[in-house]
Amino acid sequence: MFAPEARIREQLRLPLERPVADAAFVVSDSNAEAVRTLAAWPDGAGSVMALHGPAGTGKSRLAALWAERVGALPLQGTEAALIDPLELEGRPVLLDCADEADDETLFHLINLAHAGGALLLAARAAPRDWSVALPDLRSRLNAVRAVALEAPDDAVLSAILRARFAERSITPSDDLIDYLVRRLDRSAQAAAVVVARLDALHRPVTRVLAREVLEAMADPADPGAISAKI
């Protein structure tokens, strides 16, 4: 819940900005609707919207770009309970990991948005699927407009792979990226795992090496196995 007034006075102000990742956001069929929707939102005061989708689909990145564009105050999950409500009146707010916030905080944030601000909720599941106990909050969440991000398509998965390789100072060939995209599950986790395993072998990153790693990842006996299409 929001902190009592006496406690609020003792708290440091939360930072109004967070660093935004340098990597470009790749627009593709899996996220184009969400990109178009956020580009035109909010279209009036008193707006609440939810952005949801599986891990690694770019929710936080897209939400951060929106917050940067509109000057929203970015909050993260449970930390929303620590912010002074007076800082939120009449201004846009981004709440990432929104399903981790407590019921009373979510209730107050939605009411504040309806009173003249804007609230973007980002989470893996749509608000209608969140576990909440307050009946009034349940009805409000059920009424929130929700926009979905789909699992990464080829374009997004390629971008994820290149970003994970770049973090390890590896420059993959286009042929290698295409090879991996055709065989990996549509998930950021699978991309991160295969890149980490390729790097850990300390050998030139080629299709031959990638095939070895993918075969190991597909082995049910491997405790870290992740589905791959060999």
Side-chain angles (χ1 to χ4, degrees):
M1 67 179 68
F2 287 113
E5 184 177 351
R7 181 183 168 197
I8 290 173
R9 287 197 294 266
E10 298 174 358
Q11 293 171 340
L12 296 175
R13 286 176 174 268
L14 294 174
L16 299 186
E17 296 183 3
R18 298 185 193 279
V20 177
D22 291 335
F25 186 87
V26 176
V27 179
S28 70
D29 290 344
S30 65
N31 56 34
E33 180 184 358
V35 170
R36 285 193 299 268
T37 300
L38 283 184
W41 186 82
D43 50 7
S47 299
V48 181
M49 183 182 291
L51 186 65
H52 67 96
T57 52
K59 293 184 302 297
S60 295
R61 171 67 174 146
L62 181 57
L65 289 170
W66 172 83
E68 187 176 51
R69 177 176 65 83
V70 303
L73 176 67
L75 302 175
Q76 186 87 13
T78 56
E79 80 174 16
L82 305 177
I83 191 69
D84 184 342
L86 295 178
E87 291 191 40
L88 307 179
E89 291 184 358
R91 68 174 301 178
V93 175
L94 162 63
L95 181 59
D96 201 359
C97 302
D99 53 338
E100 297 176 6
D102 65 82
D103 285 12
E104 189 170 344
T105 296
L106 279 173
F107 184 77
H108 284 304
L109 286 174
I110 292 173
N111 285 345
L112 281 170
H114 286 162
L119 175 63
L120 178 61
L121 305 168
R124 294 187 182 184
R128 64 177 179 274
D129 297 323
W130 299 355
S131 177
V132 298
L134 289 177
D136 286 345
L137 176 60
R138 175 76 280 154
S139 62
R140 281 165 172 73
L141 289 176
N142 288 345
V144 168
R145 179 184 180 186
V147 180
L149 287 166
E150 305 298 334
D153 58 16
D154 286 2
V156 172
L157 189 57
S158 294
I160 292 172
L161 283 164
R162 292 187 187 279
R164 298 294 80 81
F165 277 122
E167 290 170 354
R168 297 169 182 272
S169 300
I170 299 172
T171 303
S173 67
D174 292 343
D175 184 58
L176 175 62
I177 294 295
D178 291 342
Y179 181 82
L180 291 172
V181 165
R182 291 195 302 271
R183 289 161 175 80
L184 282 177
D185 271 1
R186 307 280 99 177
S187 78
Q189 181 191 13
V193 169
V194 73
V195 171
R197 292 195 175 195
L198 285 166
D199 186 32
L201 294 173
H202 303 293
R203 292 162 53 188
V205 180
T206 64
R207 282 182 52 165
V208 173
L209 186 63
R211 182 177 180 84
E212 293 177 14
V213 169
L214 290 176
E215 288 175 346
M217 288 172 59
D219 184 354
D222 184 342
I226 292 181
S227 296
K229 309 172 192 69
I230 307 303

